[in-house]
Amino acid sequence: MRFKASIRNIHTFTRLTASLSLLGKDVWLQLNNEQLRFTVVPEQGSQVWAVLAIDTIFETYTIQSAVENNTINLRIPLASLHRALRSALTASSASIRLTKKDNIPLLSLTIITNNLNSSRPPTSITTTTLNSDNAPFPVDDAYNNNESLGDPNPGFFPHDRETTITQDIPVMVLAAATVASIHEPQCPQPDVHIMLPSLLQLKAISERFTKLALSTSTSATNRGRASDALSSQSRLTLSANAHGVLRIGVETPSLKIESRWEGLTNPELDPEQVEGGEEGVRGHASTRMKEREGDEAWSVVRVEGRDWGRVLGVGRLGGRVIACFCHEHALILYVYLSGDDTESVLTYYIASYSA
Amino acid sequence: MHTLSFSLTLEGVVRIHDGVLCLAKFSEVVSLEARKDKLILTALNSSKSAYASFSLDKTVFFEKYNFNASQAKSQQSTEDTGARFTCQLYNKALLSVFKGRLGDVRDKDTAVERCECNIQDQPDKTECRLIVKMLCRHGVTKTYKLTYESVEVMHALFNKSAAKNTWTIGASTLRSFAEYFGTKTEQLDISSEGGRATFTSYTEKIMNGRDVLKQPLQTSITVDSLDFEDFKVEDQLHIGISVKDFKAIVTHAETLKASITALYSFPTRPMQLSYHEHGMQCEFTLMTIGDYRGNSVTPAPAAVRQGSAAPAERATSRQSTVQTAVQPKTTTMPPPSQSLSRSFTREPQSQRTQRPSPPPPKASLDPQSLFLPADEDDDRIWGERIYDNEQDTLGWDASANNDPILGGRRSDQESSSRLPPYPAWQEDPNSRIAPTQKIAEIRGLFGD
């Protein structure tokens, strides 16, 4: 079993792990010849099923295993992975590989940085003058810059002064049988597809509502109740229709607030993606929804405010988000990465509470 | 007549604060020792495995410094060390006096300009106190009286001549290393090989099954010895200290922008980390762990592991010579005996002192601000909102100068300028509902 890759886009990877780590402690990462799947299924709260093209994060990607399609399944603690990746944010290069130490499988992240703040002039340096013909590295721009900064050591290569950071993340290798029992949730046909407004706005407003709900209801119920009581008190109602309107509201015994966005896009279904083609689109729940009026035109879900806030943390990836409302059942978010024309998409499943 | 009196500039006050904050990481009490030419603040941790000392120079650090030796009734006034005055205070007490001064620097109106301290130590008077007077602008004086306990102060001894391994490096570099270490790691191993030095933070725990995933991150940072200002270390020598102590030290050293010098001989013997800046001589003596293989070619870890007889003997003999030779009047810090038998690879966790780590920093995002700059990629924005810890909830703005929609709880101009304007509201301040209830009542209604 072998996995090795250099990290091409450390920022995307770090933002991904940051978003995922809000929802669960561990991620199931499935690597194979074609794609990367990051899955977080917490005991409580929303799930993420992300499929990323290899190019989105990695380059020079090597994978080998006895399983079909060279598949490797790993269970990785997200906090450690995220912390390790954060230390690579200023790196000149970073690579990751699967290894073993004392019989514990590890994901070992090797980070090389050149930007150590060595502002003082080097004092006791033994100069190694290299013959330019035998020089192991071409004299590149970085070297010239180094010289212009007053480095008193001609023939001294910046490569010699790089700092290497290795972060060893303990992981578990999962057997194919173990992961076979994990299934992506099945949902009925969504009633409304709608493009969400800026998640930054949505998150700020949702959090304000959640806070209001929590603070008003805690004082009402003499505060300090069990957490399940809290979750019922901080529910937000999200609703959308097929005419570009999204509403988010909160209702407690003492207050009722609602925010409303208009003029949002309702993406059309692509007949090629829908089962049954044109016929399938015509019979789709969302097509029927367009003809309804009044209260019937709204598809409603109820979410737990804090969980919803954590889901919206995905906004840091900065992509387009399409929300699919399954009335009184679930909300599904498809998050497409910005500036990424691959097939990469993160799918969030948020179950709806009953009224 | 005071036993000790000194005065500090604002800069000195900040330095004392930083120093006391650092000492808090070692012990909850601060020992104070006044001498003719310097004031020494020290802390020794409960397991006596780490000792920190800040020696403040009479002429450089202080604006004025006067130690009245004859007043010092102290028993220690002997011929060779000179008169001393020693006492012990709670760190928290000192910190609460010197804290907040930092914040005042921004607020020019109440900024501290000078600080005068004196110690009244007269058995015939009722008040034996450390009196701190903060002289602020506009003639405001804040006076604090702290009680102290008169005790003998212990100092750790360190035999510099035996410490043949040494390195010096800028504190900011070490501080940047500490940033990379996993949050729950306990040990830091320092080693060198082939002109490169390696700092490895790790936690030694044997775990099986799912617990494996709870094992903290192990971080190694390998840096060229040329990045050190000075580097003379025996090749392949591994020496271990506590990550927490290391972090406390480098964080403080960075506030002084100092270069840290490490001195050590071999594992199980103390390591000294020191730096000197702005009349502040900072020294930390830390007990180390690890296998000592010595200069001999054949490794002899077994000898160290089996019984502590040989190394202990060596250690004690060295210790006793130090005691008699250097400072007969100070108490030595005995090395923890069990550390001699500690092995680098299998260290029983029960022997380690469990000290709580500092709480994680709280998010400083203004919770009232509804709209935020779009370009920030930050956990403060995208991270999870912790509702339980938030102090403020709905409030009532009685000041009547602030944006009426978003309340007046924001005190800094910065965050209010970030907000998009609400022209309709701002043009007509009278459209606001006047506060007709007392603030206390409102809070009661909406919780706090």
Side-chain angles (χ1 to χ4, degrees), chain B residues 66 70 121 126 201 225 228 308 313 340 359 362 385 390 425:
Chain B
N66 182 27
S70 61
D121 178 44
T126 44
S201 82
S225 58
F228 289 79
S308 52
E313 206 174 89
L340 292 170
K362 282 187 190 137
R385 181 87 168 261
E390 286 176 15
W425 285 89

mmCIF file of all heavy atoms in Angstrom, chain B residues 66 70 121 126 201 225 228 308 313 340 359 362 385 390 425:
data_model
loop_
_atom_site.group_PDB
_atom_site.id
_atom_site.type_symbol
_atom_site.label_atom_id
_atom_site.label_comp_id
_atom_site.label_asym_id
_atom_site.label_seq_id
_atom_site.Cartn_x
_atom_site.Cartn_y
_atom_site.Cartn_z
ATOM 1 N N ASN B 66 16.406 52.007 45.080
ATOM 2 C CA ASN B 66 17.080 52.243 46.344
ATOM 3 C C ASN B 66 16.783 51.094 47.306
ATOM 4 O O ASN B 66 15.636 50.860 47.684
ATOM 5 C CB ASN B 66 16.607 53.585 46.935
ATOM 6 C CG ASN B 66 17.321 53.876 48.236
ATOM 7 O OD1 ASN B 66 18.436 53.414 48.459
ATOM 8 N ND2 ASN B 66 16.656 54.615 49.091
ATOM 9 N N SER B 70 20.417 48.504 55.603
ATOM 10 C CA SER B 70 20.349 48.486 57.064
ATOM 11 C C SER B 70 18.914 48.229 57.528
ATOM 12 O O SER B 70 18.677 47.664 58.579
ATOM 13 C CB SER B 70 20.847 49.821 57.615
ATOM 14 O OG SER B 70 20.015 50.862 57.143
ATOM 15 N N ASP B 121 8.792 47.096 55.439
ATOM 16 C CA ASP B 121 9.072 45.843 56.133
ATOM 17 C C ASP B 121 9.546 46.163 57.536
ATOM 18 O O ASP B 121 10.721 46.080 57.845
ATOM 19 C CB ASP B 121 10.136 45.075 55.339
ATOM 20 C CG ASP B 121 10.506 43.778 56.030
ATOM 21 O OD1 ASP B 121 9.591 43.088 56.488
ATOM 22 O OD2 ASP B 121 11.707 43.490 56.115
ATOM 23 N N THR B 126 2.201 47.895 61.615
ATOM 24 C CA THR B 126 1.233 46.868 61.256
ATOM 25 C C THR B 126 1.311 46.516 59.778
ATOM 26 O O THR B 126 0.993 45.418 59.382
ATOM 27 C CB THR B 126 -0.195 47.329 61.569
ATOM 28 O OG1 THR B 126 -0.319 48.672 61.130
ATOM 29 C CG2 THR B 126 -0.496 47.167 63.026
ATOM 30 N N SER B 201 8.521 17.747 18.662
ATOM 31 C CA SER B 201 7.554 17.736 19.756
ATOM 32 C C SER B 201 6.729 16.466 19.640
ATOM 33 O O SER B 201 6.319 16.094 18.556
ATOM 34 C CB SER B 201 6.647 18.967 19.704
ATOM 35 O OG SER B 201 5.602 18.793 18.791
ATOM 36 N N SER B 225 22.164 24.475 10.878
ATOM 37 C CA SER B 225 22.847 25.087 12.018
ATOM 38 C C SER B 225 23.342 26.490 11.677
ATOM 39 O O SER B 225 23.647 27.280 12.559
ATOM 40 C CB SER B 225 24.000 24.210 12.487
ATOM 41 O OG SER B 225 24.901 24.019 11.428
ATOM 42 N N PHE B 228 21.533 29.382 13.155
ATOM 43 C CA PHE B 228 21.844 29.740 14.531
ATOM 44 C C PHE B 228 22.956 30.783 14.512
ATOM 45 O O PHE B 228 23.790 30.809 13.615
ATOM 46 C CB PHE B 228 22.328 28.520 15.315
ATOM 47 C CG PHE B 228 21.245 27.517 15.613
ATOM 48 C CD1 PHE B 228 20.817 26.631 14.654
ATOM 49 C CD2 PHE B 228 20.673 27.472 16.877
ATOM 50 C CE1 PHE B 228 19.833 25.707 14.938
ATOM 51 C CE2 PHE B 228 19.689 26.541 17.168
ATOM 52 C CZ PHE B 228 19.264 25.659 16.203
ATOM 53 N N SER B 308 19.772 3.686 38.363
ATOM 54 C CA SER B 308 20.267 5.046 38.314
ATOM 55 C C SER B 308 21.544 5.204 39.127
ATOM 56 O O SER B 308 21.980 6.298 39.390
ATOM 57 C CB SER B 308 19.186 5.980 38.829
ATOM 58 O OG SER B 308 18.756 5.502 40.087
ATOM 59 N N GLU B 313 25.228 8.833 41.030
ATOM 60 C CA GLU B 313 26.435 9.107 41.791
ATOM 61 C C GLU B 313 27.194 10.276 41.170
ATOM 62 O O GLU B 313 27.603 11.216 41.827
ATOM 63 C CB GLU B 313 27.291 7.850 41.762
ATOM 64 C CG GLU B 313 28.221 7.713 42.941
ATOM 65 C CD GLU B 313 28.891 6.366 42.878
ATOM 66 O OE1 GLU B 313 29.947 6.265 42.251
ATOM 67 O OE2 GLU B 313 28.330 5.433 43.445
ATOM 68 N N LEU B 340 16.445 10.644 36.757
ATOM 69 C CA LEU B 340 17.676 9.968 36.377
ATOM 70 C C LEU B 340 17.393 8.606 35.768
ATOM 71 O O LEU B 340 18.126 8.115 34.932
ATOM 72 C CB LEU B 340 18.566 9.800 37.600
ATOM 73 C CG LEU B 340 19.119 11.121 38.136
ATOM 74 C CD1 LEU B 340 19.769 10.906 39.471
ATOM 75 C CD2 LEU B 340 20.065 11.751 37.140
ATOM 76 N N PRO B 359 -5.703 28.488 28.375
ATOM 77 C CA PRO B 359 -6.922 28.355 27.574
ATOM 78 C C PRO B 359 -6.713 28.931 26.179
ATOM 79 O O PRO B 359 -5.896 29.844 26.006
ATOM 80 C CB PRO B 359 -7.943 29.184 28.353
ATOM 81 C CG PRO B 359 -7.142 30.139 29.160
ATOM 82 C CD PRO B 359 -5.857 29.441 29.472
ATOM 83 N N LYS B 362 -9.651 33.551 22.818
ATOM 84 C CA LYS B 362 -11.030 33.725 22.400
ATOM 85 C C LYS B 362 -11.083 34.519 21.107
ATOM 86 O O LYS B 362 -10.239 35.359 20.856
ATOM 87 C CB LYS B 362 -11.803 34.487 23.483
ATOM 88 C CG LYS B 362 -12.167 33.584 24.632
ATOM 89 C CD LYS B 362 -13.075 34.298 25.596
ATOM 90 C CE LYS B 362 -13.254 33.494 26.861
ATOM 91 N NZ LYS B 362 -13.190 34.307 28.028
ATOM 92 N N ARG B 385 -19.221 29.387 15.695
ATOM 93 C CA ARG B 385 -19.546 30.400 16.670
ATOM 94 C C ARG B 385 -19.799 29.714 18.003
ATOM 95 O O ARG B 385 -20.586 28.783 18.081
ATOM 96 C CB ARG B 385 -20.802 31.116 16.183
ATOM 97 C CG ARG B 385 -21.274 32.216 17.041
ATOM 98 C CD ARG B 385 -20.606 33.523 16.685
ATOM 99 N NE ARG B 385 -21.293 34.604 17.352
ATOM 100 C CZ ARG B 385 -22.196 35.373 16.774
ATOM 101 N NH1 ARG B 385 -22.476 35.215 15.527
ATOM 102 N NH2 ARG B 385 -22.790 36.326 17.441
ATOM 103 N N GLU B 390 -20.064 33.632 24.886
ATOM 104 C CA GLU B 390 -20.204 35.047 24.578
ATOM 105 C C GLU B 390 -20.801 35.776 25.764
ATOM 106 O O GLU B 390 -21.799 35.373 26.341
ATOM 107 C CB GLU B 390 -21.051 35.229 23.332
ATOM 108 C CG GLU B 390 -20.250 34.838 22.109
ATOM 109 C CD GLU B 390 -21.061 34.913 20.841
ATOM 110 O OE1 GLU B 390 -22.134 35.526 20.869
ATOM 111 O OE2 GLU B 390 -20.612 34.364 19.836
ATOM 112 N N TRP B 425 -31.949 55.579 8.783
ATOM 113 C CA TRP B 425 -31.889 55.591 10.234
ATOM 114 C C TRP B 425 -31.024 56.722 10.737
ATOM 115 O O TRP B 425 -31.326 57.350 11.729
ATOM 116 C CB TRP B 425 -31.322 54.290 10.731
ATOM 117 C CG TRP B 425 -32.283 53.174 10.642
ATOM 118 C CD1 TRP B 425 -32.473 52.345 9.582
ATOM 119 C CD2 TRP B 425 -33.188 52.768 11.644
ATOM 120 N NE1 TRP B 425 -33.442 51.451 9.876
ATOM 121 C CE2 TRP B 425 -33.909 51.675 11.136
ATOM 122 C CE3 TRP B 425 -33.471 53.224 12.937
ATOM 123 C CZ2 TRP B 425 -34.883 51.042 11.872
ATOM 124 C CZ3 TRP B 425 -34.422 52.574 13.661
ATOM 125 C CH2 TRP B 425 -35.140 51.497 13.127
#
